[in-house]
Amino acid sequence: MFIMESFIHSFETSRIVWVNRVLKKLSNPRTKKWILTLVLLLWVSMPLWAQLAHPDPSGAATGKAGDVPAATPGKPTYQEIADAVGHNRIAINIVWTLITGFLVMFMQAGFAMVETGFTQAKNVAHTMAMNFMIYAIGMLGFWICGFAFMFGGIGSVSSLGGTAGLTHEITLHLFGKDFGIIGNAGYFLNSSVYDVGVFTLFLFQMVFMDTTATIPTGAMAERWRFKPFVIYGFFISMIVYPLFGNWVWGGGWLSQLGVNFGLGHGHVDFAGSSVVHEVGGAAALAGALVIGPRLGKYTRSGKVNTIPGHNIPMAIIGTFILAFGWFGFNPGSTLAGTDLRISVIAVNTMLASAAGAFLAMLYTWKTAGKPDPGMMANGMLAGLVAITAPCAFVNASSAVIIGAIAGILVVAVANFVDRKLKIDDPVGAFAVHGANGMWGVVALGLFADGKYGDGWNGVPGTVRGLFYGDAGQFMAELIGAITCFVFVFGVMYVFFKVLDKVVPLRVSEEVEEKGLDIPEMGVKGYVGDQLEIPVY
């Protein structure tokens, strides 16, 4: 115990002596100066220490060349840095294209809701089933040969890192010039095109094709038998859509009107006003004409009876889903997340949709006395369809004008088809997609402002419309629009006529009166008693 107390006493005495010495040193002016100098050096060197430790809260310093892993110890070579940068650029483009393709795929839900909401409750299961199965049928048809016919000769899509194997275009040589007709590579996505760029292109273009294929399901709803519908799904996805698509997007003859004949940059359609929507609209008009109107739609005296849709809220929600999906449709068509024009494209898409809805509301209000919610929805869709071709080539003011004209056009064309032509189109498919698909490419030929599209379709310089000095571009758009309608309407009219002889298109009158759900699908769309709306 005595020894322990002696040790503690000795330790305390030593500590006091050591503290006194330190305090004496600190009181020395020279020591104070050295301490102050050391603190200043540490403070000044803090940014250097931070850089050595690699924290980067803002992200501004991340992704520098030093972050590229070297194949050998030490700093990476210039080739390794270049390879990493190139790989990341293609990776961004592929991810962007896939994600926007996923958005377009979700548009199928929007189409199903719009078409079902605008039709009668007794046909809900049937209308939904057509919109559902066209996705699967169309995909398989496009996989079999549609993709090969459309893009088999497109060559290398550089934004996706090249598309190996798509180098076979069947051409006609006339007047000393080559005219691409149809692609001839990529059937069944075989081993010769087993490539990440090709598969990305397939997914994105497949969902575009599906948009086209689903449009006639609305125009022919409530009387179309399911068996001929299935046959139609394969025909349009394997033959009709890919053929016209090749002529515009696959390096075919319409895209080469500029190179071959000096007509601007050839027929330009950025995201599908003609390739997707006009094709679908023309097919819908042919189908509705062949299948005939619904029972009770027209009287013997020629009076037009309105057959109201059963669920306007469903149709409105479906319209919003479609408008949301259009942000994949239009900006995604750059096939490149590194193309910063996507912001302009997205804003133009929004503005045109708003102008279309607003003008359709005003026009219906003035002509019919009430602002019709159905026409508001179709007005928004019409604005979206019309801006789809020119969205990358016009400014904001032009986008509003294009959408506004589309909003008026959809109402006028719907009334003309319904009342003058006596063609029953329950959802206004031709007015929305056919007429405004044509207007969209014509609008590009008028309003393209020359700020984008350098080298488009192999023609030097940017894309300019008639109002900006290039009448040739306007002519190329007219040629494409007319070709699309004549080709698609003609082929689909003959197809539906022949198919009707082999596998009748239409259900019996008894089935149509009771509803297609049980006879065609075996299930009701709605189960249970119909709700009665109280009258106050």
Side-chain angles (χ1 to χ4, degrees), residues 63-77:
K64 302 296 185 182
D67 293 322
V68 179
T72 55
K75 292 184 178 180
T77 66

Side-chain angles (χ1 to χ4, degrees), residues 298 304 363-364 367-368 375 408-423 431:
Y298 303 108
V304 180
Y363 186 67
T364 307
T367 57
M375 278 302 179
I408 296 172
L409 186 63
V410 70
V411 180
V413 172
N415 290 335
F416 178 76
V417 169
D418 191 39
R419 299 172 187 177
K420 300 298 183 182
L421 299 181
K422 297 294 192 296
I423 298 175

Side-chain angles (χ1 to χ4, degrees), residues 139-160:
M139 186 192 307
L140 292 174
F142 203 59
W143 169 70
I144 292 167
C145 66
F147 180 74
F149 289 165
M150 189 166 177
F151 291 106
I154 194 173
S156 178
V157 180
S158 59
S159 63
L160 301 179

Side-chain angles (χ1 to χ4, degrees), residues 363-383:
Y363 186 67
T364 307
W365 207 338
K366 179 175 177 58
T367 57
K370 297 289 183 181
D372 182 355
M375 278 302 179
M376 295 176 195
N378 275 347
M380 175 169 284
L381 295 177

Side-chain angles (χ1 to χ4, degrees), residues 46-315:
M46 280 178 64
L48 176 62
W49 288 108
Q51 288 182 20
L52 293 174
H54 285 287
D56 183 23
S58 72
T62 300
K64 302 296 185 182
D67 293 322
V68 179
T72 55
K75 292 184 178 180
T77 66
Y78 288 118
Q79 185 60 51
E80 288 170 334
I81 294 172
D83 288 345
V85 170
H87 178 84
N88 289 340
R89 181 178 67 84
I90 300 303
I92 290 168
N93 292 345
I94 286 179
V95 171
W96 165 257
T97 304
L98 290 175
I99 289 174
T100 54
F102 304 156
L103 284 175
V104 178
M105 180 270 181
F106 189 57
M107 291 174 70
Q108 204 65 35
F111 276 114
M113 296 183 75
V114 169
E115 293 179 11
T116 303
F118 281 154
T119 52
Q120 299 171 87
K122 62 184 180 180
N123 300 314
V124 164
H126 186 268
T127 306
M128 277 285 184
M130 289 194 297
N131 278 274
F132 179 79
M133 281 310 299
I134 197 63
Y135 174 74
I137 294 167
M139 186 192 307
L140 292 174
F142 203 59
W143 169 70
I144 292 167
C145 66
F147 180 74
F149 289 165
M150 189 166 177
F151 291 106
I154 194 173
S156 178
V157 180
S158 59
S159 63
L160 301 179
T163 42
L166 301 180
T167 56
H168 303 284
E169 178 80 4
I170 297 174
T171 60
L172 292 177
H173 191 73
L174 299 171
F175 316 113
K177 303 180 186 300
D178 290 327
F179 295 82
I181 302 299
I182 188 171
N184 189 33
Y187 301 99
F188 298 98
L189 291 179
N190 59 67
S191 59
S192 66
V193 294
Y194 195 6
D195 175 81
V196 293
V198 173
F199 275 51
T200 301
L201 183 66
F202 175 84
L203 184 145
F204 189 75
Q205 294 298 338
M206 186 283 297
V207 290
F208 270 52
M209 174 280 305
D210 229 39
T211 297
T212 296
T214 203
I215 292 169
T217 62
M220 301 172 70
E222 306 200 272
R223 68 264 203 217
W224 199 359
R225 293 176 65 233
F226 207 74
K227 186 180 294 184
F229 154 75
V230 172
I231 298 171
Y232 149 82
F234 280 107
F235 182 72
I236 197 166
S237 63
M238 295 170 71
I239 307 295
V240 178
Y241 175 83
L243 272 175
F244 186 76
N246 175 270
W247 301 345
V248 181
W249 288 346
W253 68 275
L254 283 174
S255 69
Q256 298 303 300
L257 290 175
V259 172
N260 287 338
F261 301 105
L263 297 179
H265 287 68
H267 182 70
V268 176
D269 183 354
F270 186 75
S273 287
S274 64
V275 174
V276 176
H277 296 283
E278 189 183 349
V279 169
L285 186 67
L289 181 61
V290 172
I291 202 170
R294 291 168 291 175
L295 295 176
K297 176 64 179 177
Y298 303 108
T299 66
R300 291 183 178 180
S301 63
K303 179 184 176 183
V304 180
N305 294 320
T306 300
I307 302 177
H310 84 285
N311 196 326
I312 293 299
M314 180 186 289

